[in-house]
Amino acid sequence: MKAVYLFFLFLTPVLLAQQIESISKTPLIADKFIGVDAFNNTYFTTNMELHKIGVDGGFVFNDLQLGRITSVDIINPLNVVLFYEDTNTVVFVDNRLNEIERINFNNLPQFLNINTATNAGNNRLWVFNIDTQQLELFNYRSLTNTVVSQPFSGTLVSQTSNFNYCYLLTENKTRVFNVYGSLLSEIALEGYTKVIQQDEKVMGVKENSLYYLAKISEGKTKKLPEAIKIPLPEITIKDLHLTQEFLYIYDGKNIHTLKLTEPKK
């Protein structure tokens, strides 16, 4: 308990010292803003289509038979992951949004009923099994799955991940897992609608505000005794995306590019 308190004393001044610097505002009409990749390409969906725009032009992927696009993972711009919950299908596309391959989880030798799918690297996906209420790692080369979590109650509200960690948000809790199946932490939350992460930062959205929730350090999650509100400009948060350098917030009409910076000494 003392260690947590000392960590909080150390971390809080750092977080509160950070300032929000507004960089730009870019008009965008979209159903959903996905994010901006490492090459500064912007991804969004409209009318059941995935769009990508950048210095190399614009690209589109669609397959209307698959239904609406539930989520898009752009952590690897050369192997973008599209998930269609209506048809229990994942589609992989390349950097020009050409289809590489697809997996229909209804047709697997061992049927999987999932409602999330994000990139875990090494030919694997983080998937949440609805039937068992468990997080799993699915290898789409060997078509095998490894159970990562114990079953837990509650409705899955949001999932975000990288190649090392997966964050699951339910109505009252966020759970953090690593690729070895270890539960790193459980953070009690109420009223949050989305969780995002980048490197060491873990943030959550609640009532149109953004909060620091925890920090990943040396393979361990250090949660804060209380969430710390980030002082954002007055922007409606419809969608948002966090990268190593920038925070992107979509208000339904514009993408606001913001930067978390520390004051100059």
Side-chain angles (χ1 to χ4, degrees), residues 225-237:
E226 59 181 295
I228 298 176
K229 187 175 181 179
I230 299 173
L232 295 175
E234 291 188 11
I235 302 172
T236 300
I237 303 177

Side-chain angles (χ1 to χ4, degrees), residues 171-174 185-190 192 213 223-224 227:
E171 303 100 319
N172 55 16
K173 189 176 293 187
T174 286
S185 73
E186 292 181 300
I187 305 171
L189 300 173
E190 291 288 347
Y192 284 80
L213 301 178
K223 61 182 180 180
L224 307 184

Side-chain angles (χ1 to χ4, degrees), residues 7 92 243:
F7 168 74
F92 300 91
T243 68

Side-chain angles (χ1 to χ4, degrees), residues 27-74:
L28 178 70
I29 301 300
D31 296 335
K32 185 176 183 180
F33 167 67
I34 303 301
V36 178
D37 68 18
F39 303 102
N40 207 32
N41 297 296
T42 300
Y43 298 75
F44 58 94
T45 63
T46 58
N47 300 321
M48 299 167 64
E49 297 179 333
L50 174 64
H51 295 259
K52 172 184 176 181
I53 55 175
V55 293
D56 294 327
F59 306 95
V60 180
F61 174 82
N62 69 72
D63 188 334
L64 303 183
Q65 294 181 347
L66 293 176
R68 64 180 180 85
I69 301 173
T70 305
S71 65
V72 182
D73 189 334
I74 60 173

Side-chain angles (χ1 to χ4, degrees), residues 112-239:
L112 274 179
N113 186 20
I114 63 174
N115 65 353
T116 60
T118 52
N119 199 336
N122 295 321
N123 302 319
R124 298 174 302 177
L125 295 170
W126 297 101
V127 299
F128 187 76
N129 190 321
I130 302 173
D131 296 332
T132 63
Q133 287 289 105
Q134 292 175 293
L135 178 67
E136 300 182 5
L137 276 171
F138 175 76
N139 188 308
Y140 52 87
R141 286 288 168 262
S142 62
L143 300 183
T144 57
N145 54 307
T146 303
V147 174
V148 174
S149 76
Q150 296 295 319
F152 55 82
S153 60
T155 301
L156 185 64
V157 176
S158 174
Q159 173 178 313
T160 186
S161 66
N162 53 37
F163 299 145
N164 298 311
Y165 307 104
C166 187
Y167 308 78
L168 300 179
L169 172 67
T170 58
E171 303 100 319
N172 55 16
K173 189 176 293 187
T174 286
R175 295 170 175 85
V176 185
F177 298 90
N178 63 20
V179 292
Y180 304 107
S182 298
L183 175 63
L184 301 183
S185 73
E186 292 181 300
I187 305 171
L189 300 173
E190 291 288 347
Y192 284 80
T193 56
K194 190 176 181 68
V195 62
I196 60 174
Q197 60 77 35
Q198 173 63 36
D199 293 337
E200 295 183 342
K201 304 182 187 75
V202 184
M203 301 179 183
V205 179
K206 178 181 180 180
E207 298 175 351
N208 203 57
S209 296
L210 187 63
Y211 295 83
Y212 279 103
L213 301 178
K215 180 180 180 181
I216 298 290
S217 180
E218 298 178 353
K220 296 181 180 180
T221 302
K222 298 180 179 179
K223 61 182 180 180
L224 307 184
E226 59 181 295
I228 298 176
K229 187 175 181 179
I230 299 173
L232 295 175
E234 291 188 11
I235 302 172
T236 300
I237 303 177
K238 182 181 178 184
D239 296 308

